[in-house]
Amino acid sequence: MESRARIAIKALTWQLLGLVVMLGIGLAFTGSLSAGGGIALVSGVTGYLCYFLHEMAWARIGWGRRPR
């Protein structure tokens, strides 16, 4: 079972990568760094929370794991 701290760090590093990608996409679509940044920020926070909750749920599911 993974610790909450490990799940949180994995979620954070994943979202940082996603934040950069979303900033680029938002900038490309809007032509505005501030609008692209706003889109990226909202997307990043939402994505982080969803990923964290998803990982927490899967950490409780034993299906597909091999016994230690």
Side-chain angles (χ1 to χ4, degrees):
M1 180 176 218
E2 296 191 61
S3 70
R4 286 185 179 185
R6 178 178 164 83
I7 292 170
I9 295 299
K10 282 174 57 179
L12 182 62
T13 57
W14 175 252
Q15 274 316 125
L16 288 174
L17 176 61
L19 188 65
V20 171
V21 171
M22 282 305 297
L23 177 61
I25 291 170
L27 179 60
F29 273 84
T30 66
S32 166
L33 188 59
S34 62
I39 292 167
L41 188 60
V42 170
S43 175
V45 170
T46 303
Y48 176 84
L49 292 173
C50 289
Y51 182 85
F52 183 83
L53 294 173
H54 180 260
E55 284 287 317
M56 290 299 297
W58 272 99
R60 296 175 184 267
I61 298 170
W63 176 81
R65 287 188 177 168
R66 293 190 175 114
R68 292 183 181 194

